Amino acid sequence: MSINASGWRPEAPQQGTSAAPTFTGNKALMLEEALIFEIGDIHTTGVDFSSPSPRRGEGRGEGTSASDGTPGNPVQPLSPTLSPEGRGRLGNLARTAAIGLPGLSEPETVRHYTRLSRQNYGIDLGFFPLGSCTMKHNPRLNEKMARLPGFADVHPLQPVDTVQGALEVIHQLAHWLVTLTGMDSVAMSPKAGAHGELCGILAIKAALEARGEGHRKIILVPESAHGTNPATAAFAGYRVEDIPATSEGRVDTAALIARLGPDVAGVMITNPNTCGLFERDMRTISDAVHEAGGLVYCDGANFNAIVGRVRPGDLGIDAMHINLHKTFSTPHGGGGPGSGPVVLSKALTPFAPLPFVEKTGAGFRLVEEETAEDHHAHTFGRMVAFHGQMGMFTRALTYILSHGADGLRQVAEDAVLNANYILRSLDETLVAPFGHSGPCMHEALFSDENLAEGFSTIDIAKGLIDEGYHPMTMYFPLVVHGAMLIEPTETESKAALDQFIGALRSVAERAKAGDVALKTAPHFAPRSRLDETLAARKPVLVWKEALAEAAE
Ligand SMILES: *Cc1c(COP(=O)(O)O)cnc(C)c1O
């Protein structure tokens, strides 16, 4: 199929205008799927349980019936009625009514979840332009390594001498993260970027308290920061003050330096920033913050744009989280799993959280408690119960080793090249508010300023769904009106980028021409425009009918 790159196709058929609705509601392979509560039945089960045999002194409970062994046949609810004696043993914890969970036969269950999975969008299905999220292809080699039983089946409480290989993976990955960032040490346990932010800020807090400067209560955060930055600072007990951006889309260095003083604990700066630009004054900012007695946190979520090219340690940074699930592949989205190791400067290393892996003469040791002589002598505590995300560690190390130093450098270069290709291909169709600030880094930023009256970024996002794409990041960063933040990553081919550029140009032209059909898009998705605010604020999480039926 060829995409008309210059405009929309006015002859594109509207769904349902010429075809009669189907009996099932299915549209060929676009399958309607009801909730499991609507298609399931509390009397159906895909599993046969044999009746519990009565124990001595305990009569067989009335109503306990064996299944006849035929899958899918009605059986009694999975809660045998207990004898008075059995009930006595459970106290008032014995269930008195059916649990009310819907049941399906095994094939029905498999189909239900397979159908639902087809309504999802993933990186294995198509280009995923979500800015700031670095949605890159996950090499299958990573998956193969992570599934090796020696990594996949280890238990965090296993004796250390039985998990030497897993500890070596953590140790090697830590080594490469420290090398790539030019920092002093790394805390491996945080389980996401935001969790890493908290780890870094708690290390900063511990360092300040150790020097008797716990009274420093303010963290400076640029206006364009990811929402997790001010949230982290506030969660750790700091007051957040905004630093404005320049018209170029970078931190206003003069304003930041002017605000420094004895009440400032530190700054949190994203570099490259969320406008897709490199903060060129980073070294100047770090020096000024240190001179004023503060510490520098860098949000490293966008490290993909500079990996192998820039070492944050050279920029005077004290703590930075790395989203393994962004820069070093590993699947993410839909809530996890993530992994957010935090690299630390010499000043913060003594305060790093436990545990950490250390090489000994004979092998590897897991340091779980602080000792006066180790290099984390003033640890602030722990971030997690165990040691971090083993599966993510294995994938990230596989990614680093299979790319090598030259490959990682090329990742950054190609990611930046792809983003600039998108920026320059669309900056005449859409407004690029920082297009004048020079080449972008890993992501291209547009605003909705030149659309027709009444049209906004949301309409473009919904139009992209009809074109078969997951929308870009919308309305973020807040410093740009109706922001559209597009991050292609290095793993998209030129053909894939050209098709996306054609689709976005087509949708944008429709929004500029005031095509009213776009206001009700998506037309081809299983559900059209939803009230997302209502869904987020008042989610309906309980299926009341099933509970009512179960209670009967
Ligand atoms: C993704 C992201 C985060 C948060 O990382 P999570 O792993 O989602 O917690 C923080 N800052 C920026 C700039 C990000 O893109």
Side-chain angles (χ1 to χ4, degrees):
M1 185 191 71
S2 79
I3 291 280
N4 176 355
S6 63
W8 85 91
R9 283 160 293 177
E11 74 283 6
Q14 286 302 302
Q15 185 189 35
T17 49
S18 53
T22 55
F23 172 79
T24 51
N26 296 337
K27 298 180 184 91
L29 289 179
M30 181 65 82
L31 304 171
E32 265 302 316
E33 189 64 10
L35 297 177
I36 196 167
F37 292 100
E38 294 167 307
I39 58 176
D41 184 323
I42 62 166
H43 301 296
T44 302
T45 175
V47 183
D48 296 323
F49 287 105
S50 45
S51 309
S53 49
R55 300 218 183 124
R56 207 159 5 135
E58 182 183 317
R60 195 185 175 113
E62 0 104 43
T64 312
S65 81
S67 152
D68 65 4
T70 315
N73 260 17
V75 294
Q76 289 294 314
L78 306 175
S79 154
T81 312
L82 290 169
S83 65
E85 195 192 326
R87 199 182 295 285
R89 217 183 296 145
L90 285 173
N92 52 12
L93 297 176
R95 181 175 292 133
T96 53
I99 191 168
L101 290 179
L104 296 173
S105 72
E106 182 174 315
E108 286 171 331
T109 308
V110 171
R111 282 181 189 156
H112 175 67
Y113 288 106
T114 304
R115 285 162 174 246
L116 289 182
S117 75
R118 288 166 44 116
Q119 297 185 358
N120 208 351
Y121 194 88
I123 190 72
D124 290 346
L125 197 66
F127 175 43
F128 212 124
L130 211 50
S132 214
C133 293
T134 315
M135 307 297 285
K136 60 165 83 178
H137 170 69
N138 302 292
R140 290 302 178 265
L141 180 64
N142 296 359
E143 299 304 317
K144 196 170 169 186
M145 293 301 118
R147 282 167 175 70
L148 289 174
F151 296 132
D153 297 343
V154 292
H155 190 281
L157 292 177
Q158 244 172 278
V160 162
D161 60 345
T162 66
V163 290
Q164 284 291 303
L167 294 185
E168 187 169 0
V169 165
I170 299 177
H171 191 264
Q172 267 204 36
L173 177 60
H175 165 76
W176 288 119
L177 295 179
V178 164
T179 304
L180 284 165
T181 54
M183 300 288 278
D184 187 60
S185 64
V186 58
M188 296 298 287
S189 62
K191 294 203 168 178
H195 203 212
E197 289 173 33
L198 184 62
C199 173
I201 293 296
L202 290 178
I204 287 175
K205 190 173 194 175
L208 289 173
E209 281 168 2
R211 21 162 149 123
E213 297 191 22
H215 57 272
R216 291 177 177 266
K217 281 287 176 222
I218 290 172
I219 298 264
L220 305 179
V221 179
E223 280 177 341
S224 61
H226 197 266
T228 51
N229 293 186
T232 295
F235 190 73
Y238 287 103
R239 266 210 331 276
V240 176
E241 280 188 27
D242 273 354
I243 296 296
T246 63
S247 59
E248 264 203 333
R250 297 189 167 91
V251 173
D252 186 335
T253 307
L256 185 146
I257 291 176
R259 180 57 192 87
L260 293 172
D263 56 343
V264 173
V267 296
M268 291 182 89
I269 293 185
T270 308
N271 199 12
N273 72 22
T274 51
C275 297
L277 300 169
F278 190 73
E279 295 288 359
R280 296 171 181 154
D281 288 347
M282 200 61 224
R283 183 79 236 189
T284 310
I285 292 172
S286 298
D287 289 347
V289 172
H290 288 148
E291 197 152 311
L295 289 151
V296 179
Y297 188 88
C298 178
D299 180 331
N302 299 330
F303 193 49
N304 201 51
I306 56 172
V307 61
R309 300 287 313 228
V310 176
R311 299 191 313 166
D314 297 336
L315 302 177
I317 284 154
D318 291 298
M320 181 183 94
H321 74 263
I322 299 171
N323 303 61
L324 294 187
H325 49 289
K326 293 180 182 173
T327 306
F328 299 111
S329 72
T330 84
H332 69 293
S339 183
V342 182
V343 287
L344 298 165
S345 65
K346 250 195 175 59
L348 290 186
T349 294
F351 306 96
L354 296 167
F356 59 93
V357 176
E358 205 172 59
K359 191 159 172 45
T360 63
F364 297 89
R365 153 177 112 92
L366 193 60
V367 181
E368 299 248 40
E369 278 168 38
E370 70 185 283
T371 59
E373 74 272 15
D374 73 41
H375 63 301
H376 291 17
H378 306 288
T379 176
F380 71 73
R382 268 179 181 268
M383 295 300 293
V384 297
F386 293 119
H387 324 310
Q389 302 278 45
M390 193 62 218
M392 300 295 104
F393 294 161
T394 313
R395 289 176 175 90
L397 181 62
T398 304
Y399 185 84
I400 289 174
L401 295 182
S402 60
H403 278 68
D406 56 335
L408 288 178
R409 195 183 165 94
Q410 195 186 338
V411 160
E413 289 170 351
D414 289 353
V416 171
L417 179 65
N418 279 358
N420 278 283
Y421 185 62
I422 288 184
L423 180 67
R424 295 308 166 200
S425 300
L426 288 164
D427 64 358
E428 286 176 1
T429 306
L430 288 164
V431 174
F434 303 122
H436 62 282
S437 309
C440 63
M441 296 300 291
H442 55 300
E443 53 198 354
L445 179 58
F446 299 100
S447 83
D448 66 354
E449 274 160 294
N450 66 345
L451 306 185
E453 182 75 26
F455 285 77
S456 169
T457 292
I458 186 90
D459 305 308
I460 295 198
K462 298 298 183 186
L464 277 177
I465 294 175
D466 275 343
E467 295 285 353
Y469 289 103
H470 190 287
M472 62 280 152
T473 290
M474 307 187 290
Y475 301 103
F476 173 81
L478 305 176
V479 290
V480 166
H481 192 274
M484 292 173 240
L485 190 60
I486 300 168
E487 180 177 8
T489 84
E490 70 286 355
T491 52
E492 296 305 324
S493 66
K494 180 167 179 300
L497 294 181
D498 282 336
Q499 196 190 46
F500 174 74
I501 288 164
L504 180 50
R505 190 179 285 142
S506 161
V507 174
E509 292 299 348
R510 290 171 61 193
K512 286 162 76 175
D515 174 9
V516 288
L518 198 56
K519 292 297 300 178
T520 47
H523 300 281
F524 304 134
R527 295 292 176 274
S528 189
R529 216 174 269 216
L530 306 173
D531 187 340
E532 284 145 355
T533 311
L534 186 69
R537 299 251 161 94
K538 294 193 175 156
V540 180
L541 301 175
V542 177
W543 181 254
K544 297 224 174 65
E545 277 84 342
L547 287 181
E549 192 192 333
E552 271 167 20

